[in-house]
Amino acid sequence: MAATGLYGMVTFLLLLSLPAALADPSFFNRTCYLTKNPGACHSVLGHYFWSLNATTLPQLTSTGLDVAVFKARDIMGAMSELFGEGRYAGTHEGDALAQCARLYDKTMSYDLDQGDMRLVDGKYSDALRFVTHARSAGDACEKAFADRGSRSVVSDLN
């Protein structure tokens, strides 16, 4: 996924890889500092008050997945508006935008839902696999624009 959406996915993936024994009152801050990109972790998860109250890795990881879902929904809505305006009709950007919409639709209707179900069931490696698929869809979306020699209007949405 583009920009913030990608950070949400990366943060979620990093959180899955941390040991659960880290829980304490300052869990959010300490966990973010243990990721590969503490700034992105704080930036993405810090906007959601419930992540600041998390005391366990599953709670914080669930928030990371929620952030990714919210961002993907926002991007889907913005893509829908762009289609409705028709300003990209018949253009390379329009073709790439249509491909992105299909990718995001699959991600929203399957990968993120499956990842969430696996997370709730405690099947973290399965959750990671589905979220990785979702992140790959975001990367493929960006590639769709690059392959057409166009700037990504999806990145602009972030």
Side-chain angles (χ1 to χ4, degrees):
M1 301 190 169
T4 306
L6 238 185
Y7 288 133
M9 289 294 175
V10 170
T11 300
F12 173 78
L13 295 170
L14 292 172
L15 290 173
L16 276 180
S17 67
L18 295 174
L22 299 173
D24 66 33
S26 60
F27 182 70
F28 170 76
N29 287 321
R30 292 178 52 143
T31 302
C32 279
Y33 283 116
L34 292 172
T35 66
K36 291 180 183 176
N37 192 338
C41 180
H42 277 101
S43 175
V44 172
L45 293 178
H47 288 21
Y48 299 89
F49 72 90
W50 56 91
S51 62
L52 301 175
N53 296 324
T55 58
T56 67
L57 187 58
Q59 288 172 342
L60 193 55
T61 303
S62 178
T63 298
L65 184 57
D66 288 345
V67 169
V69 169
F70 293 149
K71 192 60 187 175
R73 282 190 184 130
D74 286 346
I75 291 172
M76 281 290 294
M79 282 192 283
S80 179
E81 286 179 27
L82 289 173
F83 276 122
E85 293 171 1
R87 76 181 199 209
Y88 294 106
T91 67
H92 292 301
E93 289 91 351
D95 294 342
L97 194 57
Q99 184 175 345
C100 288
R102 288 188 298 273
L103 290 164
Y104 271 72
D105 183 55
K106 179 193 176 290
T107 293
M108 290 299 300
S109 65
Y110 185 72
D111 292 322
L112 293 177
D113 283 345
Q114 292 296 315
D116 186 48
M117 286 192 296
R118 299 312 194 281
L119 185 62
V120 169
D121 291 342
K123 298 177 180 175
Y124 302 115
S125 61
D126 287 346
L128 179 61
R129 183 170 42 91
F130 284 105
V131 171
T132 300
H133 290 174
R135 185 184 65 193
S136 296
D139 294 343
C141 175
E142 294 301 310
K143 186 175 180 325
F145 284 96
D147 288 350
R148 290 167 176 83
S150 302
R151 71 175 178 78
S152 172
V153 296
V154 175
S155 288
D156 294 346
L157 298 174
N158 288 301

